[in-house]
Amino acid sequence: MTDQLTFGSLTIAFDDRVLRPREWTAAQSEWAADLMTTAPGGTVLELCAGAGHIGLLAVATSGRRLVCVDANPVACDYARANALAAGIAERVEVREARLQEALAPDETFPVVIADPPWVPREQTSRYPEDPLTAIDGGDDGLDVARACLAVIDDHLAPGGSAVLQVGTRAQADALRGEPCFTEGRLAMVEVRQQVRGVLARIDRA
């Protein structure tokens, strides 16, 4: 059965086969929207988009195009429906694909939004109402976050920024050891604590 909730200025539809949108994650949309005001021109990318709510809210008033990527066909259908309901379907492309297969080698994006599952596998039983694939981040909760970082490393435009959601500051700190940071291609320039989870801004170094 389809549910609906208010997410910022949008009404988002979803069901129990996708992760229920969390109202606090509108902070990720707002930060990305702020970054768009100074970022280079071009399309915004949302990774692990789910029902599309974070990316849709981010671009709703910007006029920018949005590419949403998710491997779950149900989530992709909801992202398309939610773009239509928001009146911006002509600006939104939804790609049903694994992260590493979704983009052409030469595609770049000035703003990237990434909302990977970040719950450590041994803790997923605490959230029985959530689809396992939408919350299971592997042993340390960072398997999919690392995959998102690889996409950001390959596809973030010069002068661009990404906003990555993870669960804790400790997880954000752990990611700083990834080669994209230690080798100087990307820089984690700010981390913001939210109600449940943290947001990290990542710039092209």
Side-chain angles (χ1 to χ4, degrees):
M1 187 178 75
T2 296
D3 290 311
Q4 287 189 330
L5 57 70
T6 299
F7 187 77
S9 59
L10 305 180
T11 300
I12 298 296
F14 63 98
D15 66 26
D16 59 10
R17 295 172 293 174
V18 302
L19 190 66
R20 179 185 181 88
R22 270 60 168 174
E23 286 83 349
W24 70 266
T25 59
Q28 190 171 15
S29 308
E30 291 159 9
W31 199 0
D34 286 344
L35 293 171
M36 284 175 214
T37 63
T38 54
T43 299
V44 175
L45 174 65
E46 182 180 16
L47 303 173
C48 305
H53 48 292
I54 296 173
L56 292 171
L57 183 60
V59 304
T61 60
S62 72
R64 289 190 189 244
R65 302 184 68 82
L66 174 68
V67 171
C68 293
V69 175
D70 202 285
N72 178 351
V74 177
C76 290
D77 285 345
Y78 274 115
R80 293 184 188 99
N82 288 325
L84 188 63
I88 57 173
E90 73 286 350
R91 290 197 274 125
V92 179
E93 178 190 353
V94 179
R95 301 184 189 179
E96 180 191 328
R98 293 172 58 83
L99 290 172
Q100 53 269 51
E101 299 161 0
L103 305 174
D106 61 343
E107 285 186 285
T108 61
F109 302 86
V111 176
V112 181
I113 299 163
D115 182 20
W118 44 254
V119 179
R121 184 162 291 151
E122 63 180 19
Q123 297 175 25
T124 55
S125 60
R126 297 182 190 176
Y127 311 102
E129 73 282 2
D130 293 332
L132 189 60
T133 55
I135 61 170
D136 185 351
D139 288 346
D140 64 355
L142 293 173
D143 285 1
V144 189
R146 290 188 185 94
C148 288
L149 273 182
V151 175
I152 293 166
D153 193 13
D154 287 342
H155 297 279
L156 185 64
S161 299
V163 184
L164 171 69
Q165 185 191 134
V166 289
T168 62
R169 285 185 179 272
Q171 285 185 326
D173 288 341
L175 289 176
R176 292 178 191 271
E178 292 299 304
C180 59
F181 296 119
T182 61
E183 295 170 8
R185 295 186 299 277
L186 298 174
M188 191 181 297
V189 296
E190 186 180 354
V191 176
R192 296 181 183 177
Q193 182 70 50
Q194 301 297 326
V195 176
R196 267 209 67 225
V198 301
L199 301 175
R201 173 180 167 178
I202 296 164
D203 286 2
R204 174 64 71 196

